[in-house]
């Protein structure tokens, strides 16, 4: 199992972009906020996502 990094909207948790390394995700966020119209970019967070070797994202079930 490997790890991918998703840039997600902080409020809706919609996936904006997926990367192989944390640094790539961090660079993406930095570049987005350096744009001239930065106020149109949604607030984002980086989330680690486990991925099976087949490329499928592992869905973790919430604890009850």
């Amino acid at each position: 199992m490997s790890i991918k990094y998703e840039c997600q909207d902080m409020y809706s948790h919609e996936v904006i972009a997926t990367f192989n390394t944390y640094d790539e995700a961090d660079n993406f966020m930095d570049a987005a906020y350096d744009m001239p119209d930065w106020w149109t970019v949604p607030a984002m967070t980086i989330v680690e996502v486990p991925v099976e070797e087949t490329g499928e994202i592992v869905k973790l079930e919430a604890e009850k």
Side-chain angles (χ1 to χ4, degrees):
M1 187 176 314
S2 61
I3 300 289
K4 296 275 185 184
Y5 298 88
E6 292 181 347
C7 289
Q8 294 182 359
D9 183 297
M10 285 182 103
Y11 304 106
S12 69
H13 302 289
E14 176 184 353
V15 176
I16 297 169
T18 304
F19 300 94
N20 292 323
T21 66
Y22 182 90
D23 288 335
E24 290 174 333
D26 192 43
N27 290 340
F28 173 79
M29 286 179 47
D30 288 345
Y33 293 123
D34 286 341
M35 294 175 58
D37 58 347
W38 58 268
W39 62 87
T40 63
V41 177
M44 290 184 277
T45 187
I46 298 173
V47 179
E48 287 186 355
V49 180
V51 177
E52 291 288 339
E53 297 308 319
T54 60
E56 292 184 22
I57 293 175
V58 177
K59 298 292 182 191
L60 302 176
E61 293 186 27
E63 294 182 27
K64 293 183 180 181

